[in-house]
Amino acid sequence: MKIHNHLILTFGTALMLFSCGQQNQNSNGALSSSAAEKVYVAPGEQDEFYAFLSGGYSGNLTVYGLPSGRMFKEIPVFSQFPTSGYGYSEETVPMLNTSHGFVPWDDLHHPDISQTNGELDGRWIFVNGNNTPRVARVDLSTFETAEIIEVPNSAGNHSSSFITENTEYVVAGTRFSVPVPQRDMPINEYKGNFKGALTFISVDPEHGHMAIKFQLLMPGFNYDLSHPGRGKSHGWFFFTTYNTEEANSLLEVNASQNDKDFIAAINWKKIEEYVNNGGGTKMPAHYAHNVYDEHSHTGTSTMRKEVLTVDPTKVPGAVYFLPTPKSPHGCDVDPTGQYIIGNGKLSADLTVHSFDKMIAAIEGKKFDGEAYGIPILKFEDVLAGQVKSGGLGPLHTEFDGEGNAYTTFFISSEVVKWQLGTWEVLDRKPTYYSVGHLMIPGGNSRKPFGKYVVAMNKITKDRYLPTGPEMEHSAQLYDISGDKMELIYDFPTHGEPHYAAGCPAELLTTNSKKIYRLDENRHPYAVTTADGSKVIRDGNEVHVYMSTIRSHFTPDNIEGIKVGDKVYFHITNHEQDFDVPHGFAILGQNSSELLVMPGQTKTSVWEPNEVGVWPFYCTDFCSALHQEMQGYVRVSPANSNVELKWSLGE
């Protein structure tokens, strides 16, 4: 069915009327209740939940408290971060290496917390890089990026990074199908020639280390979002698709022709068995695998040379298509694993598939044709029900663990609560404005913590003081502990949050690492005692082994450095007290300052290009004598005979 102009006009008119109606509402309505009490966290008290919001085009992950909405931390993942020196220090530069070279940015969309038996376990959080396809693992004991793996044969790593219920795999599904392997070919030969890669990355159950197990090379559709089966559907993974037309131009029209697109149901257990028995084809590839070692405080980058690919038609019974109206975005599975929700952006209704009916249809071979050799199940045979009059533009659904689902509607700017099984709409609340995704802590697991829902809105106008054409995005917090949702708070969010993950704070606080033990520091340039500080020349390279402690550097005066030298400052923080980092910066440093955690070692490179006496200092206020925490480097001409020497207190 084609989308006609009058339908587009109807949607547009509805949006304008709805937005105008919202703007005329009393914006202070939430303050007339006890909402302020529900979000107030008194001085010295702590939030009940951690919320991890994707930073979108910031390339980083942000950490907020709920219900306060306070931002606690920005975790650098794919982007350089001068605050800590991530991506600038010699130890972290390798983390941003790719097959395309050093890429200091990405578009981070979808965080997902590790699980055991379908419940959040709080060990790691996985996030995706959408632009240069990558998946990262953040260690939740340190809140630092521990590993990044590049995904070959992929483009637009969007249906990522979602995990199976025992964290066996994290998936990375391509948004843009491309030639596999990449080659020079006409774009108008897209149909039938481009492929979509669904990559299953195994996760070591003890250490979390990632490795690409296999890539499923699918038809050249766009693969949008995904979620794993759980409970009875464990062993399956579900991906929404759009552009089943395989259009390559003006997709807003040409990729909206079909009445139904698909949810791809992937039996990864069956494919895993096939691969373990020697199935699949090894394909040459070139991709980076970057790992940060917590003990050496150093990242390393390794280039991988091949990947195992699987043709879905070679594994009968492993892949099926579930017809789903229309251009579905979110693909969400309820806590029981029974219901698979397809959020069709251009559908008037919300479609819910039944896992039991899907299995029965597969066993009964109730197919409605095939696409590229993959069976298409009959829509009526897998349909559990439809949510009528949900709203306009459904995007994403999460669950409260009490038999209720919550769906965002982008066009009508609202969150809608409905009941699983009866498909009855129970409540709806407006958002301000154009809500994308939402998050209930644990809402995509077997055990949601259904107290709050966070709506992540795309348009911020008239919610906050204007700050020019660009404003931070807006999140809104709803109390869902009662029968009706209650809007209780607005707070700005950094970058463009697409998705979020949340968990109880108590899941993380007991394992939080407060310091790095100095006696466990295995950095090759670590200085574990001040007496070990030294300066060594090797040709035109100079290595400064430096220690810091409140409130001085050792050494604090260095002479004998020459123009043209490459000076490596290896700085070890000797503090063993929580939350006492030390910073380091030197005049003319053309990378960034460093922020060195207690017991940690980091390295900054400085290349002086003129003679003089150049100060360095601590950038993080650490004591009453912080201003006195400084030193000097004397730089002499390149042909100078000034002796290399260093001192403290002379």
Side-chain angles (χ1 to χ4, degrees):
M1 180 183 71
K2 296 184 177 180
I3 295 184
H4 297 290
N5 290 335
H6 75 271
L7 179 57
I8 296 173
L9 180 62
T10 300
F11 273 14
T13 303
L15 175 59
M16 288 189 293
L17 291 174
F18 198 86
S19 296
C20 290
Q22 288 179 318
Q23 292 182 45
N24 290 329
Q25 291 181 12
N26 178 7
S27 62
N28 294 322
L31 300 181
S32 63
S33 68
S34 61
E37 296 177 7
K38 292 184 177 183
V39 300
Y40 178 66
V41 177
E45 295 184 2
Q46 297 179 345
D47 281 276
E48 184 178 1
F49 294 94
Y50 280 105
F52 299 87
L53 274 65
S54 70
Y57 43 66
S58 79
N60 294 331
L61 185 67
T62 47
V63 186
Y64 292 80
L66 296 181
S68 72
R70 298 176 295 187
M71 190 175 90
F72 295 144
K73 188 179 183 73
E74 182 171 359
I75 303 174
V77 181
F78 299 116
S79 292
Q80 288 180 295
F81 196 60
T83 300
S84 66
Y86 179 86
Y88 293 99
S89 72
E90 292 297 289
E91 292 80 5
T92 56
V93 163
M95 299 301 290
L96 301 181
N97 188 38
T98 76
S99 63
H100 307 280
F102 180 76
V103 178
W105 168 86
D106 216 312
D107 185 15
L108 189 156
H109 278 217
H110 305 125
D112 207 10
I113 298 171
S114 57
Q115 299 182 15
T116 301
N117 296 323
E119 298 183 14
L120 306 183
D121 60 29
R123 292 185 294 166
W124 311 298
I125 188 164
F126 298 88
V127 296
N128 65 317
N130 185 41
N131 184 64
T132 304
R134 290 175 276 183
V135 170
R137 176 175 58 88
V138 174
D139 188 330
L140 288 179
S141 69
T142 60
F143 285 66
E144 291 189 351
T145 301
E147 188 175 10
I148 298 176
I149 191 167
E150 190 180 1
V151 184
N153 297 328
S154 182
N157 173 35
H158 194 260
S159 51
S160 175
S161 50
F162 301 104
I163 58 165
T164 53
E165 67 172 9
N166 284 297
T167 320
E168 299 97 335
Y169 293 100
V170 55
V171 300
T174 188
R175 172 182 171 185
F176 309 111
S177 291
V178 292
V180 177
Q182 276 284 17
R183 58 195 182 274
D184 180 16
M185 66 176 296
I187 296 172
N188 62 12
E189 294 180 10
Y190 176 118
K191 191 167 186 176
N193 291 311
F194 286 31
K195 296 288 185 182
L198 306 183
T199 304
F200 282 70
I201 302 169
S202 64
V203 180
D204 181 272
E206 182 177 355
H207 303 291
H209 293 161
M210 299 186 292
I212 294 177
K213 178 79 171 184
F214 61 85
Q215 288 189 315
L216 194 63
L217 297 184
M218 295 286 286
F221 309 149
N222 292 56
Y223 296 84
D224 201 356
L225 280 174
S226 58
H227 267 107
R230 52 182 59 96
K232 63 171 59 184
S233 56
H234 176 64
W236 290 79
F237 225 105
F238 304 94
F239 296 78
T240 46
T241 72
Y242 64 100
N243 191 25
T244 52
E245 300 85 352
E246 295 180 83
N248 61 74
S249 177
L250 199 63
L251 262 63
E252 64 187 80
V253 174
N254 294 323
S256 302
Q257 302 298 305
N258 295 336
D259 286 334
K260 295 181 179 66
D261 292 286
F262 300 127
I263 287 178
I266 311 296
N267 187 332
W268 60 262
K269 284 275 193 181
K270 188 177 286 288
I271 300 172
E272 179 185 63
E273 180 183 12
Y274 170 77
V275 166
N276 288 343
N277 288 327
T281 302
K282 290 184 179 179
M283 177 183 292
H286 186 56
Y287 62 98
H289 186 188
N290 310 327
V291 179
Y292 184 83
D293 185 274
E294 184 181 307
H295 299 290
S296 67
H297 307 289
T298 301
T300 57
S301 181
T302 304
M303 297 307 299
R304 306 296 183 187
K305 298 299 182 183
E306 65 179 16
V307 66
L308 185 68
T309 62
V310 175
D311 178 346
T313 64
K314 303 294 185 184
V315 193
V319 183
Y320 298 92
F321 285 137
L322 283 59
T324 305
K326 179 179 183 177
S327 296
H329 183 60
C331 181
D332 305 295
V333 180
D334 85 302
T336 70
Q338 173 63 263
Y339 298 120
I340 304 111
I341 292 89
N343 301 268
K345 301 189 297 291
L346 303 178
S347 174
D349 303 321
L350 199 62
T351 298
V352 184
H353 296 302
S354 161
F355 178 74
D356 286 346
K357 287 188 173 183
M358 183 192 85
I359 295 299
I362 291 170
E363 292 174 348
K365 298 184 178 180
K366 296 181 179 180
F367 303 139
D368 191 15
E370 54 87 25
Y372 294 100
I374 298 173
I376 302 171
L377 299 173
K378 290 184 178 179
F379 177 71
E380 297 78 10
D381 288 334
V382 297
L383 182 68
Q386 291 180 305
V387 181
K388 303 287 186 179
S389 303
L392 297 176
L395 287 188
H396 175 215
T397 301
E398 288 213 346
F399 310 92
D400 63 7
E402 302 295 330
N404 303 309
Y406 300 75
T407 300
T408 54
F409 288 85
F410 180 81
I411 295 175
S412 51
S413 293
E414 58 185 335
V415 175
V416 174
K417 176 183 179 181
W418 52 276
Q419 189 171 54
L420 291 160
T422 69
W423 325 125
E424 176 189 3
V425 172
L426 302 176
D427 192 23
R428 61 197 328 133
K429 285 291 185 290
T431 63
Y432 304 92
Y433 303 95
S434 297
V435 60
H437 289 274
L438 81 169
M439 184 273 289
I440 294 171
N444 63 340
S445 72
R446 281 199 197 188
K447 184 184 177 181
F449 302 89
K451 187 171 183 178
Y452 301 111
V453 64
V454 178
M456 286 158 276
N457 307 318
K458 300 298 184 184
I459 298 174
T460 314
K461 61 182 179 182
D462 68 37
R463 298 305 288 177
Y464 308 123
L465 292 173
T467 54
E470 180 193 6
M471 299 181 69
E472 294 284 39
H473 285 238
S474 176
Q476 296 189 293
L477 183 68
Y478 295 80
D479 182 342
I480 59 171
S481 59
D483 291 337
K484 298 294 184 180
M485 296 179 284
E486 181 187 3
L487 174 63
I488 57 174
Y489 198 52
D490 281 19
F491 59 95
T493 54
H494 188 56
E496 186 195 3
H498 291 259
Y499 194 72
C503 67
E506 63 183 7
L507 192 64
L508 305 182
T509 52
T510 55
N511 297 321
S512 181
K513 187 180 291 290
K514 296 178 171 60
I515 63 169
Y516 296 96
R517 285 184 49 151
L518 196 59
D519 60 0
E520 294 179 352
N521 187 329
R522 301 293 180 263
H523 193 289
Y525 292 97
V527 177
T528 56
T529 65
D531 292 342
S533 298
K534 57 188 175 183
V535 183
I536 296 176
R537 175 178 289 280
D538 181 9
N540 72 333
E541 288 189 359
V542 178
H543 292 267
V544 180
Y545 294 70
M546 179 178 283
S547 67
T548 67
I549 198 164
R550 287 168 285 188
S551 295
H552 63 266
F553 294 96
T554 305
D556 64 358
N557 289 312
I558 302 170
E559 299 188 34
I561 304 300
K562 303 174 185 180
V563 171
D565 281 345
K566 194 170 188 177
V567 184
Y568 292 82
F569 290 96
H570 309 288
I571 302 158
T572 303
N573 182 348
H574 283 193
E575 304 288 351
Q576 292 287 266
D577 188 13
F578 180 39
D579 197 26
V580 187
H582 288 297
F584 173 85
I586 186 167
L587 197 157
Q589 189 174 7
N590 59 6
S591 53
S592 82
E593 61 93 38
L594 296 181
L595 198 61
V596 189
M597 298 301 111
Q600 191 177 47
T601 300
K602 286 185 179 179
T603 301
S604 182
V605 178
W606 179 60
E607 299 184 60
N609 55 19
E610 57 182 303
V611 300
V613 178
W614 309 109
F616 58 85
Y617 67 102
C618 177
T619 55
D620 190 72
F621 204 104
C622 55
S623 73
L625 298 176
H626 165 73
Q627 291 295 93
E628 285 75 12
M629 192 169 176
Q630 67 176 55
Y632 289 100
V633 177
R634 174 186 173 188
V635 177
S636 302
N639 59 357
S640 169
N641 292 320
V642 174
E643 179 185 358
L644 186 66
K645 61 179 182 179
W646 59 97
S647 65
L648 175 68
E650 295 180 13

